[in-house]
Amino acid sequence: MGTSTRTCLKSVPKDLRVLSRSFTSIMLFSSGAFGAISLFGLMSVVSVIGSSCPTANAENAPAFSSLRPLLSSEAALVLKGDVKFDNLTSRWREWHSPSIAAVVQVATKKDVQETVRFAKHFNVSFVARAGGHGATEALANAKNAIQVDFRKLNQVTLNANGETATIGGGATVKQIIDGLAAVGKRAVTGICECVGITAPIMGGGHGWLQGQYGLAADQVVSARLVLTNGDVVTVSNESNKDLFWAIRGAGHNFGLVTEWEYRVHNTKENQWSYEIFIYTQDKLEALYELANSMIKDQPAEAIHWGYIVKVDEIDADHPILWFGIIYDGPTETAREYAKPFHDLEPVMVQAGEGTLHDLAVLTFQDLNGAGCAYGLTSLRYPIGLKSFNVAAMRKVYDHIDETFRKTPEVAGSFFLLEGYSTQAVKAVDAGSTAYPHRNDNLLVTSYVQYQPNSTIDPIAEEYGQTLRNILLQASDDPAHLHAYVNYANGDEPLEAIYGWEKWRLEKLRQLKKQWDPKNKMKYYVPFV
């Protein structure tokens, strides 16, 4: 590519079968707590223009001819018009998604480097993709971008020390769980099987094992990162320590991770156990008061997982309360722990034991379940809380009920309540990573989902924001929203996402100047 080409470029800115079937039919949702956002390298929004200039876009395939020879034999370049293109670029949320001109299916670290250098040369934006669950407003700013597709970089290899594994940047939750289980190990991941692991780690990474081991970000020993200029660096507590700090909580803004050195743990002899309780709305106050009391002494092995969702087969008039106790320990211990929930007279109880895959099915998060379906308009409004304000939860419920009747198009939406144990999370120094919300006990998210319909969009946005605002105003600190970056809608105050302590954003911005001075990575809740 000659100098003249460069100079002519310009840029512009599921026994509950009935319940399961019904739930699955109306809810197509994302990764939940696990870290659902799977885009991790999001670069500058640039459209290449100039009628007489060779440009790197789908209409000018010859411009990509210089990239093909630089890629490994296992890599692939897929342009618009190719039969594979639509499948490769489909996403959990198509609404406000990036505009993709070409897909590079990378298979080696060098493929990532060459793709980034190519994009830099032609001044073309690029976004990274693994699970395709990324959903935040800034993604829509990526126009005619190259999709750096990491799905071939999915290795899961136990290291010789038996304490860590090398995990490829494109590996999914299921690939990691299955790969480690085969060698008697496990690690902190989310539960939605199709979600990639990298982006959740970069945002902190909630998971069912966090009470015992910490957040996903706390499991990282080191990472190999491709920077926006194509260079590769290793980040760890010994190498590029400040950048290592930044990618664990705000990593979507700094680079593309090709592999992780990740802590793993021995599996347990017993299987996970669960009890799922279904309540009608008249039990709301008693349920969340009980949940509040149990949070105070919640074992590290216990997870509280709940939904407010409409299931006509159970209650044709009102949403129901779905509340699960998931337990990583002996069934007898789990049953004793969950006994108080029986006293609330649920209309239905399902109990059993199983693997993490069984639990993914139970919670509609397996590969064939609702959590891995793409194509709906999906909005998320997260808020971190210390406890449930029961009066506010009643207001939330009533607003959900009213909205579902007035606007049935959004009646497939749901309200997710993630109550993870936090012992190991809080044991980590709050300043040791960029993740800012270690003192929260609950992650509550309004998922607003519906078939694409532009007339519903403003109603949906107001609905989701209203639900979150009800909880915020009733919280212990209504002036300071806590919004988990991996679920963030993208219009929240930056402090709500990256921390209200002034030093946090200042440090992130200084590091941004050092590692991405041209602000190329600005498609995932950018802070500059």
Side-chain angles (χ1 to χ4, degrees):
M1 293 179 286
T3 303
S4 60
T5 298
R6 290 196 297 270
T7 56
C8 71
L9 297 176
K10 299 179 180 180
S11 62
V12 297
K14 174 178 131 181
D15 279 329
L16 300 174
R17 294 182 180 178
V18 171
L19 169 59
S20 180
R21 288 196 301 270
S22 175
F23 201 8
T24 301
S25 69
I26 63 175
M27 293 174 57
L28 303 176
F29 55 88
S30 145
S31 60
F34 335 101
I37 305 206
S38 300
L39 270 91
F40 45 91
L42 305 166
M43 312 303 284
S44 67
V45 50
V46 180
S47 297
V48 181
I49 61 176
S51 59
S52 63
C53 301
T55 60
N57 58 38
E59 287 69 37
N60 189 3
F64 285 100
S65 62
S66 60
L67 176 59
R68 288 183 183 272
L70 302 177
L71 302 175
S72 69
S73 59
E74 295 84 6
L77 175 63
V78 181
L79 303 179
K80 281 185 178 179
D82 190 292
V83 294
K84 298 179 181 179
F85 186 85
D86 288 346
N87 184 56
L88 287 173
T89 57
S90 65
R91 303 180 59 80
W92 175 68
R93 185 175 94 170
E94 302 289 355
W95 186 68
H96 290 192
S97 61
S99 165
I100 303 300
V103 177
V104 180
Q105 293 179 280
V106 296
T108 67
K109 176 186 66 181
K110 186 173 182 293
D111 291 337
V112 180
Q113 292 181 268
E114 295 296 350
T115 303
V116 169
R117 288 167 180 159
F118 175 87
K120 178 184 177 183
H121 185 92
F122 277 101
N123 203 23
V124 178
S125 58
F126 62 89
V127 297
R129 187 200 192 280
H133 279 69
T136 191
E137 289 298 285
L139 284 172
N141 293 327
K143 308 295 184 183
N144 296 317
I146 298 174
Q147 176 176 300
V148 187
D149 196 303
F150 275 73
R151 281 172 281 187
K152 291 186 177 184
L153 287 174
N154 60 4
Q155 74 274 19
V156 181
T157 306
L158 183 65
N159 295 329
N161 60 18
E163 297 178 352
T164 62
T166 298
I167 298 176
T172 64
V173 165
K174 181 172 176 55
Q175 289 167 341
I176 294 169
I177 290 174
D178 290 351
L180 292 178
V183 293
K185 299 291 181 177
R186 64 183 186 171
V188 177
T189 68
I191 193 64
C192 188
E193 294 184 329
C194 57
V195 170
I197 193 64
T198 288
I201 293 174
M202 285 182 153
H206 290 291
W208 287 8
L209 292 171
Q210 71 172 53
Q212 300 174 68
Y213 307 125
L215 296 169
D218 302 330
Q219 313 310 306
V220 180
V221 176
S222 68
R224 296 283 281 170
L225 199 71
V226 176
L227 302 175
T228 59
N229 62 3
D231 291 348
V232 177
V233 296
T234 297
V235 297
S236 69
N237 276 325
E238 288 73 42
S239 177
N240 301 305
K241 189 173 181 177
D242 279 350
L243 184 55
F244 185 52
W245 175 89
I247 68 163
R248 294 173 297 155
H252 315 81
N253 289 274
F254 287 94
L256 310 180
V257 174
T258 59
E259 69 178 35
W260 302 94
E261 182 184 1
Y262 201 71
R263 291 187 181 90
V264 298
H265 310 275
N266 293 331
T267 56
K268 291 186 176 182
E269 292 184 7
N270 56 275
Q271 295 199 71
W272 291 76
S273 64
Y274 61 86
E275 284 193 90
I276 309 303
F277 303 89
I278 306 300
Y279 301 99
T280 50
Q281 60 88 19
D282 56 299
K283 301 299 175 63
L284 184 146
E285 284 78 8
L287 173 62
Y288 295 121
E289 286 172 357
L290 176 59
N292 276 338
S293 69
M294 296 185 74
I295 287 172
K296 299 174 183 178
D297 299 303
Q298 185 174 342
E301 298 83 7
I303 299 96
H304 298 181
W305 188 271
Y307 300 110
I308 299 175
V309 62
K310 188 76 163 59
V311 182
D312 289 342
E313 289 83 353
I314 297 176
D315 189 330
D317 299 319
H318 306 286
I320 56 96
L321 311 176
W322 189 108
F323 201 90
I325 298 297
I326 317 296
Y327 206 96
D328 180 33
T331 300
E332 296 78 10
T333 304
R335 297 292 178 265
E336 183 65 27
Y337 177 73
K339 187 179 294 184
F341 289 94
H342 289 268
D343 297 336
L344 301 184
E345 300 178 345
V347 297
M348 194 178 299
V349 179
Q350 182 179 7
E353 300 173 332
T355 64
L356 279 175
H357 170 68
D358 298 327
L359 291 168
V361 174
L362 182 75
T363 56
F364 321 103
Q365 307 279 344
D366 61 304
L367 289 178
N368 297 315
C372 291
Y374 292 178
L376 292 181
T377 298
S378 304
L379 307 174
R380 296 182 291 202
Y381 298 90
I383 180 171
L385 299 169
K386 297 292 191 301
S387 63
F388 294 113
N389 182 297
V390 177
M393 288 300 294
R394 171 54 70 182
K395 290 180 180 178
V396 163
Y397 179 91
D398 289 346
H399 190 65
I400 293 172
D401 194 11
E402 179 183 5
T403 301
F404 285 5
R405 284 185 272 110
K406 286 184 176 179
T407 311
E409 292 87 348
V410 301
S413 301
F414 63 101
F415 206 70
L416 175 63
L417 306 105
E418 302 175 60
Y420 305 104
S421 300
T422 61
Q423 289 91 324
V425 176
K426 294 179 180 180
V428 175
D429 181 355
S432 65
T433 69
Y435 177 75
H437 305 314
R438 290 186 181 273
N439 288 324
D440 291 343
N441 297 324
L442 298 167
L443 175 56
V444 182
T445 308
S446 175
Y447 279 70
V448 192
Q449 298 189 308
Y450 49 98
Q451 292 292 340
N453 183 338
S454 61
T455 64
I456 301 299
D457 294 342
I459 299 172
E461 292 180 281
E462 182 178 6
Y463 166 67
Q465 290 167 349
T466 296
L467 295 179
R468 179 163 67 182
N469 193 55
I470 291 170
L471 295 178
L472 177 61
Q473 295 307 313
S475 71
D476 63 327
D477 189 6
H480 300 98
L481 171 68
H482 292 185
Y484 182 40
V485 64
N486 286 334
Y487 293 176
N489 186 56
D491 58 354
E492 301 89 347
L494 289 175
E495 294 85 354
I497 294 170
Y498 295 113
W500 290 94
E501 308 98 320
K502 185 178 179 180
W503 66 268
R504 286 187 177 274
L505 274 169
E506 289 180 350
K507 182 173 181 176
L508 285 171
R509 285 168 175 150
Q510 287 300 315
L511 290 171
K512 185 74 168 178
K513 290 179 182 179
Q514 178 181 355
W515 296 101
D516 182 18
K518 295 185 178 180
N519 192 26
K520 294 293 184 179
M521 300 191 70
K522 60 178 182 179
Y523 294 151
Y524 204 91
V525 195
F527 45 79
V528 292

